[in-house]
Amino acid sequence: MTDTAFSFIPRAARSSKPRKTGLTEIRGPYYSAYGPRHLADLLEIMGNWIDGIKFAGGSFALMPPEAVKSINRLAHDHDAYVSTGGWIENVLRFGPDAVDRYIEEAKALGFDVIEISTGFISLPTEALLRLVETVKKAGLKAKPELGIQFGAGGDTSAKELEAEGTRDVGWLVAQARRALDAGADIIMIESEGITENVTSWRTDVVARIIDDLGLETVMFEAADPAVFEWYVKNYGNEVNLFVDHSQIVQLEALRSGIWGTKSTWGRIQNIG
């Protein structure tokens, strides 16, 4: 059990790092610009509950290499993995050589996971599977990001996204299964079209994904308190979630059942 202050106060059971479920991945510098010193503070107080850090929007491509290495080393020192985020969507536009160099440099900089997103681009299934295999051959973990919303990933308005239309959830499940069979380590589920920039949440999509794939193979983007509260309330505190770094304390208080809103107060339970 993780050592904390006031440990005599009962709380919902949580698995210890390295976890297989109940993973919390936090967003790296993007909406908030921060570096190693801020991250060091964050990991010092909440490192027990941070399983991974994801650089969003290609933010690492704006930083000196040593700064990226410093952040990645710091994460590793606290038993947290580091993911690239979905910037490969941009790299793919420049051909296979650029993709190979991208994966090579990511490994050299200390990344553990390559996220393979396709929200802004059309990528055939076989090409996605080849990317998974290429990442695995490089000795890195592959994390495809899948969703039902065309044009997802840029915080596009709900009205514009509605005009784009959505995919059937059966397509997502089939893609995920093939990616997992090809060696993908986990599937990131894009929130747009499900709980983000929609007129009403597609909870039916979440239910189908979990029923067909299981909690341990998927991670849900949930960078809004109302959204991650809904996931924990409906699927338990071992659901894998991606949130903003500023939300880690609020999320873990909810997972542990030590605090909550009127809807969740005293209701989050788990037996170790």
Side-chain angles (χ1 to χ4, degrees):
M1 181 175 177
T2 301
D3 184 33
T4 63
F6 300 98
S7 58
F8 63 92
I9 301 294
R11 59 199 70 190
R14 288 280 279 131
S15 52
S16 300
K17 295 169 70 173
R19 302 180 184 90
K20 293 185 177 180
T21 57
L23 298 171
T24 297
E25 185 172 291
I26 63 169
R27 182 182 286 113
Y30 188 68
Y31 295 121
S32 175
Y34 66 92
R37 286 173 290 279
H38 179 86
L39 181 60
D41 286 342
L42 189 62
L43 288 167
E44 181 180 347
I45 65 168
M46 293 299 292
N48 289 332
W49 315 113
I50 296 171
D51 299 284
I53 299 166
K54 178 170 85 167
F55 283 80
S59 56
F60 45 73
L62 301 174
M63 302 177 190
E66 285 306 315
V68 179
K69 287 182 180 179
S70 179
I71 289 173
N72 293 354
R73 281 195 299 267
L74 186 59
H76 294 156
D77 288 345
H78 288 81
D79 300 318
Y81 64 81
V82 190
S83 175
T84 60
W87 201 54
I88 201 168
E89 290 179 83
N90 180 58
V91 179
L92 280 164
R93 298 186 299 138
F94 305 107
D97 289 343
V99 172
D100 290 341
R101 291 186 63 184
Y102 172 68
I103 295 171
E104 180 182 342
E105 182 161 347
K107 185 174 183 178
L109 290 170
F111 284 94
D112 307 290
V113 181
I114 302 288
E115 184 171 293
I116 306 170
S117 300
T118 58
F120 282 137
I121 60 173
S122 177
L123 189 69
T125 300
E126 295 305 321
L128 173 66
L129 300 181
R130 284 195 296 272
L131 281 174
V132 170
E133 292 169 359
T134 300
V135 169
K136 297 296 290 184
K137 285 179 181 177
L140 300 173
K141 292 184 177 182
K143 182 177 65 177
E145 182 180 49
L146 300 175
I148 63 168
Q149 179 65 63
F150 289 110
D155 198 27
T156 309
S157 70
K159 185 176 181 180
E160 287 183 87
L161 289 176
E162 187 176 0
E164 288 280 355
T166 58
R167 301 180 179 97
D168 184 83
V169 64
W171 172 90
L172 184 154
V173 168
Q175 290 278 99
R177 281 178 171 156
R178 293 195 65 185
L180 290 166
D181 288 344
D185 295 272
I186 196 167
I187 307 296
M188 176 70 84
I189 304 298
E190 168 63 58
S191 61
E192 287 186 279
I194 300 177
T195 58
E196 181 184 356
N197 292 344
V198 290
T199 54
S200 61
W201 291 0
R202 292 291 309 277
T203 57
D204 60 307
V205 171
V206 176
R208 173 73 183 277
I209 290 169
I210 291 175
D211 286 347
D212 287 0
L213 299 175
L215 277 178
E216 69 281 358
T217 65
V218 293
M219 174 176 286
F220 294 95
E221 184 179 6
D224 181 87
V227 174
F228 62 66
E229 180 184 52
W230 180 85
Y231 275 110
V232 173
K233 184 168 65 173
N234 285 277
Y235 293 102
N237 67 352
E238 291 293 282
V239 61
N240 301 320
L241 297 172
F242 167 65
V243 301
D244 190 69
H245 79 284
S246 63
Q247 298 164 332
I248 180 59
V249 179
Q250 185 178 5
L251 172 57
E252 191 53 43
L254 179 65
R255 284 193 190 272
S256 299
I258 66 170
W259 201 254
T261 65
K262 178 179 178 293
S263 178
T264 54
W265 183 267
R267 297 183 181 182
I268 306 304
Q269 304 292 334
N270 193 3
I271 299 174

